[in-house]
Structure formats: C-alpha cells, structure tokens
Amino acid sequence: DIVMTQSPDSLAVSLGERATINCKSSQSVLNSSNNKNSLAWYQQKPGQPPKLLVYWASTRESGVPDRFSGSGSGTDFTLTITSLQAEDVAVYYCQQCYNTPMCTFGQGTKLELK
Amino acid sequence: EVQLVESGGGLVQPGGSLRLSCAASGFTFSNYWMSWVRQAPGKGLEWVANINQVGSEKYYVDSVKGRLTISRDNAKNSLYLQMNSLRVEDTAVYYCARLVLGIGYAFDIWGQGTMVTVSS
C-alpha cells in the first residue's frame, strides 16, 4: 500500500504570508500513460466535509482561488498558499488512488494564523 | 445542484450492524465511481471503500474487509454501506464521495457526513 506522509503536522503563518505544505508518497504516483501525477489536495474546515482544491498534482479545481497552487512529481509534492487569508485556516490533506483505486490520505496538516 | 446526502448513522453496540445510505442528485449517478471515506473524532481522513459504475468492482481498506460492504442501486441513485460486526474503532463520521478517474482519481463531491458511534 502507498503511504502518504505530510509535513509539517501543523503550521502557523501570518496573514499575507506564504504557507507551504509537503506530501511524500512511499511510491511514485506518476502515470506513465499520460505523464500526470495522481495526487490531489483537499481543504477541510471544522464541521465541514473536505473540499477538493487541486488534482493531477497541479490543476486547480474550478472556483479555487489562484493563491492555491500545487507542484511536484513522482513522490514529492507541495501545496503552496501565497498571501494567506483568514479563511484559509483549515486542515489540508493530500490523497492518492494510484494504480488500483485503493486510496490513501496523508495524516493532515493544520494551518493556523500566527 | 450536484448533491450527496448521507443517512443511517447512529449509536450501535459493538458487534452490531448498521446500513448507511447516500442519495445522489444533480448528476448522472451511474456514470461515476463512488466511495465512502470516514473520519474518527479529532482524527484525519481514512478511505474506506470504492465501487465502480455498475457495482462489479469493489475495493476496501484492509481494516474493514469482511465486515463492511459497499453497494449501489443506480435506479435509485443511491450508494450504501452495510456495516456488520462493528467495532469501537469504527466510530467516525462517514462521508459519501464521488470519485472521478478523469481527474486522477480525486474526490470532487462530498456529502455532509453521517455519524456512526459504536459503544456499549
């Protein structure tokens, strides 16, 4: 099974500053058929279901602000939030369902205001 | 409006059973893989099970194999999770989610969740 490990577990960032969250998979999630990475990022606020932010490692979901961006390939991925807003305080998860549709999530990164 | 609405959660004793339902609307349900994802209180997300469009392929996390069964009824636009031999560690909010293969196997639509509490 592919294990997803996020770092850090928690992060405090000032308003307007950059937040960077990392995700490492135990195996490559790069699809040789289309050269795309099967890696997604989600945002979850208290009492709410998760919300898809990014898929294919770097494609923003419709309606997601452009201050959110995903990058990386193979086994190492990053979610970057430029110019942090108060409404971005949440827990962020990476996720993969590579190869067969048996999926795993990272343990989550809690983003707070400094 | 694209929507998923879960129901069927509640309090059950260890060893008991429960059946969760998820009603889909606003999209062609039979065109999509569907999934259950759970979240224990104060914990992270855990994928539970996936089912393909016609119900012929099912995948489970190891911890629920043989106890939880995912199924669907496309005529009723509904997804189900039959939960047997429940354990205390199955206590969680259970989310129904749409799994889209065309965006790299990502969950693009989620329900609000239904709480399952396993306790004596």
Side-chain angles (χ1 to χ4, degrees), chain B residues 52-107:
Chain B
N52 72 345
Q53 292 92 332
V54 296
S56 60
E57 292 184 51
K58 303 177 184 182
Y59 300 88
Y60 300 92
V61 68
D62 285 348
S63 60
V64 309
K65 286 179 181 176
R67 302 187 301 113
L68 275 58
T69 303
I70 190 171
S71 63
R72 65 190 297 161
D73 185 336
N74 288 341
K76 295 182 177 180
N77 290 333
S78 293
L79 178 72
Y80 305 103
L81 187 66
Q82 179 65 44
M83 310 173 74
N84 297 331
S85 302
L86 281 164
R87 304 169 180 169
V88 171
E89 54 265 33
D90 294 318
T91 295
V93 174
Y94 284 74
Y95 295 103
C96 165
R98 188 173 79 174
L99 179 63
V100 184
L101 277 59
I103 56 173
Y105 290 94
F107 304 102

Side-chain angles (χ1 to χ4, degrees), chain A residues 1 38-40 42 44 47-52 55-56 61 93 95-107, chain B residues 33 37 39 43-47 50 57 59-62 65 95 99 101-108 110-113:
Chain A
D1 295 355
S38 296
L39 189 285
Y42 301 84
Q44 187 180 32
Q48 296 184 19
K51 173 187 174 183
L52 177 64
Y55 57 89
W56 286 134
E61 174 73 324
Y93 296 91
Q95 168 259 320
Q96 68 78 34
C97 300
Y98 177 70
N99 200 20
T100 63
M102 294 182 65
C103 310
T104 49
F105 289 89
Q107 80 276 18
Chain B
W33 283 72
V37 176
Q39 186 168 37
K43 303 297 184 183
L45 301 170
E46 180 183 38
W47 167 74
N50 291 338
E57 292 184 51
Y59 300 88
Y60 300 92
V61 68
D62 285 348
K65 286 179 181 176
Y95 295 103
L99 179 63
L101 277 59
I103 56 173
Y105 290 94
F107 304 102
D108 70 335
W110 296 69
Q112 288 297 313

Side-chain angles (χ1 to χ4, degrees), chain A residues 15-81:
Chain A
L15 288 174
E17 297 300 305
R18 174 188 301 255
T20 301
I21 298 169
N22 301 300
C23 175
K24 187 174 184 68
S25 61
S26 60
Q27 301 175 36
S28 174
V29 296
L30 177 64
N31 285 280
S32 57
S33 60
N34 61 7
N35 204 37
K36 291 183 177 181
N37 293 276
S38 296
L39 189 285
W41 288 97
Y42 301 84
Q43 174 193 66
Q44 187 180 32
K45 297 180 180 180
Q48 296 184 19
K51 173 187 174 183
L52 177 64
L53 296 177
V54 169
Y55 57 89
W56 286 134
S58 61
T59 303
R60 260 189 313 274
E61 174 73 324
S62 175
V64 173
D66 61 7
R67 64 180 180 272
F68 291 90
S69 64
S71 62
S73 184
T75 61
D76 293 281
F77 301 92
T78 300
L79 176 70
T80 301
I81 310 170

